[in-house]
Amino acid sequence: MDWALQSRLMNLMEDTKLGKDLNDSSFNWEHYLGSDLTELILSYLPIRCIVRAAAVCKFWHSIITTASFASRVSAAKKPWFFLYGQNNIFFKNNQAFAFDPEADAWLRLPTVWPSSHEQSFIGCAGFFFATTSSRFSYTPILKGAWRETSPLRFSRCNPLVGVFNHGSGLPRFIVVGGVRFIGGLVDIEDRLAVEIYNPNSDSWELCPPLPADFRSGNSSQWLSSALFNGKFYVFGIYSCFVSSFDLNKHFWSEVQTLRPPGVLFSFLVACQDQLVLAGLCNGPRGPLFNLWRIDEESMEFSEIAIMPQDLLYCLFDSEGEDKFASLKCVGLGNLIYVFNEEHHRNYPACVCEISSDSGQCRWRRVPNLPAPAKKFHKVISFCSTVSLDDILRSQGEELGLEEAVQ
């Protein structure tokens, strides 16, 4: 897109702050830019700017609120990076943020926690999930209306959760592993249950369990997951075991070990049309954070990129041997985020953007979280696409999209 056109539109939007009446009958937007050109320019703006633009004039509002425009914009925008901070003692200290990579800005979001200290939280593919030893509930990430499902056959805490489409109708959820409690104690004989939820019938289907190789660490604290080509991949962050569950045929693949030389720990990410392994490894001159492309058939790996060392070290402020242990990684689309989940430096993060055309990687630092970011006992992070239609229906002001943090 011609940057001059986008800049021109942004300047016109700023004019509303200076008291210029763009709703005046003498100012004809359709005549000034034309309907097609206006729609094109608006579609290239960051989502937060589109929400603001909907309030500028009736002409822009009529374009932005059409279902076709909202659908097209939502499909084209880059996924957002969500970070939810949980304080186990004071609910009032919980905080929620979203990073819009196209605006290069953090947004403050309202917290959506159910009122229970027992719960574990997971975010994935447009939904936020809460699990306890007896309940499972979910809500769209920008709406906050919780819905409790029928009981899981094997309730658990801290499972892996995936969201996938199955024909027409609402998306389905797959719940894998997690810690099961019996009488307040961890069930060491847990079957590593796998269940799929159908929201159309509010029912759970019991599936073949997670392979026994994952028994020593079967919760989301020890596992990462990726949904790719109709399969739900489970990967051991430290064990490097990997297996995939076929979402159509309902069976697990043979467990393999996916460990590039020198890897200390790693995360599996579905990125565009490929699987990517992102991990910390020992290099000849110190720790390195690498990205590898994974061949889906052979599970062989090839290096894509290495994070610049100055970026890696800007995520930490200590010299301890275990300083890298708090490193986490999530990704979606062509973006992979690496961040420190400890409070010491306000949860710093960086992002790698993989070019769709050349495959080249561009690393950059993510702006700091807005102050004051409080100290959390647990940080929940994930990437998700964002629906413009959901934001408009939920009203941008309530979601904090009117005031972006620069």
Side-chain angles (χ1 to χ4, degrees):
M1 175 187 178
D2 188 339
W3 171 249
L5 290 176
Q6 183 171 344
S7 178
R8 184 179 185 185
L9 185 62
M10 294 293 290
N11 290 336
L12 288 168
M13 289 172 61
E14 291 300 319
D15 284 346
T16 62
K17 297 181 179 180
L18 301 177
K20 298 184 178 181
D21 187 4
L22 301 184
N23 280 307
D24 188 272
S25 58
S26 64
F27 194 95
N28 190 321
W29 275 106
E30 192 165 3
H31 174 75
Y32 184 74
L33 287 177
S35 177
D36 292 342
L37 183 57
T38 301
E39 182 173 339
L40 176 65
I41 296 174
L42 287 170
S43 70
Y44 277 94
L45 294 175
I47 283 183
R48 69 182 183 89
C49 295
I50 294 177
V51 173
R52 289 171 50 202
V56 169
C57 66
K58 292 180 179 179
F59 177 52
W60 285 7
H61 185 271
S62 67
I63 291 176
I64 292 170
T65 54
T66 60
S68 59
F69 179 83
S71 176
R72 185 168 65 256
V73 166
S74 300
K77 294 304 180 185
K78 295 176 181 177
W80 286 12
F81 173 42
F82 291 85
L83 192 150
Y84 287 74
Q86 179 181 358
N87 188 295
N88 294 337
I89 301 174
F90 302 108
F91 274 2
K92 66 179 182 180
N93 288 339
N94 292 342
Q95 289 181 295
F97 307 95
F99 178 72
D100 179 353
E102 297 187 355
D104 197 35
W106 284 99
L107 311 172
R108 285 190 181 92
L109 300 178
T111 54
V112 293
W113 317 93
S115 56
S116 172
H117 285 281
E118 302 176 43
Q119 305 198 333
S120 60
F121 300 93
I122 309 104
C124 177
F127 291 91
F128 197 50
F129 302 92
T131 67
T132 71
S133 57
S134 60
R135 298 189 303 275
F136 186 94
S137 54
Y138 67 95
T139 178
I141 53 176
L142 296 177
K143 288 189 175 179
W146 285 92
R147 177 179 177 180
E148 186 172 328
T149 71
S150 58
L152 284 155
R153 297 193 186 186
F154 293 90
S155 58
R156 76 294 298 268
C157 293
N158 293 322
L160 295 174
V161 179
V163 180
F164 67 99
N165 293 315
H166 184 79
S168 59
L170 299 171
R172 299 189 179 188
F173 310 143
I174 180 170
V175 178
V176 177
V179 179
R180 187 183 179 211
F181 292 90
I182 296 179
L185 300 176
V186 174
D187 179 12
I188 60 175
E189 299 296 330
D190 182 19
R191 294 180 54 191
L192 305 177
V194 175
E195 300 182 51
I196 291 179
Y197 178 69
N198 182 348
N200 296 298
S201 59
D202 189 27
S203 61
W204 291 93
E205 177 185 359
L206 191 61
C207 300
L210 187 65
D213 306 64
F214 295 97
R215 187 176 295 281
S216 60
N218 64 329
S219 77
S220 57
Q221 295 175 305
W222 304 96
L223 301 174
S224 70
S225 62
L227 191 66
F228 184 72
N229 277 355
K231 297 178 182 178
F232 186 75
Y233 285 83
V234 174
F235 178 78
I237 295 172
Y238 298 96
S239 70
C240 294
F241 292 152
V242 62
S243 180
S244 64
F245 182 78
D246 190 303
L247 294 168
N248 291 315
K249 300 179 180 179
H250 290 194
F251 71 89
W252 286 96
S253 67
E254 179 184 354
V255 177
Q256 301 182 60
T257 301
L258 183 57
R259 189 192 297 272
V263 163
L264 301 175
F265 58 85
S266 49
F267 306 85
L268 192 63
V269 177
C271 191
Q272 290 181 326
D273 58 349
Q274 61 188 341
L275 284 172
V276 173
L277 188 69
L280 188 77
C281 61
N282 282 321
R285 297 184 179 179
L288 300 171
F289 196 89
N290 291 42
L291 302 181
W292 296 272
R293 180 181 293 106
I294 306 302
D295 184 276
E296 183 186 9
E297 298 298 327
S298 65
M299 284 288 113
E300 294 180 353
F301 51 85
S302 57
E303 189 175 273
I304 300 175
I306 300 177
M307 182 192 296
Q309 201 160 51
D310 60 328
L311 271 184
L312 177 61
Y313 277 86
C314 82
L315 301 179
F316 304 91
D317 60 0
S318 67
E319 298 299 326
E321 294 183 359
D322 62 345
K323 66 179 180 179
F324 294 108
S326 56
L327 205 64
K328 301 297 179 184
C329 178
V330 296
L332 187 66
N334 67 336
L335 301 174
I336 295 178
Y337 292 88
V338 184
F339 68 101
N340 186 344
E341 68 173 1
E342 292 292 336
H343 178 67
H344 306 300
R345 298 194 62 184
N346 207 22
Y347 313 101
C350 61
V351 59
C352 177
E353 183 170 359
I354 303 176
S355 170
S356 303
D357 300 322
S358 65
Q360 293 184 336
C361 297
R362 183 172 67 91
W363 295 88
R364 62 187 173 93
R365 178 80 184 266
V366 172
N368 291 332
L369 281 176
K374 299 174 182 177
K375 186 173 182 179
F376 309 125
H377 295 97
K378 183 179 180 181
V379 174
I380 301 96
S381 59
F382 61 98
C383 290
S384 177
T385 54
V386 175
S387 167
L388 175 60
D389 187 52
D390 283 350
I391 294 174
L392 293 172
R393 288 184 180 183
S394 301
Q395 300 181 354
E397 293 183 4
E398 294 181 8
L399 296 171
L401 297 180
E402 293 293 331
E403 295 297 332
V405 181
Q406 302 293 346

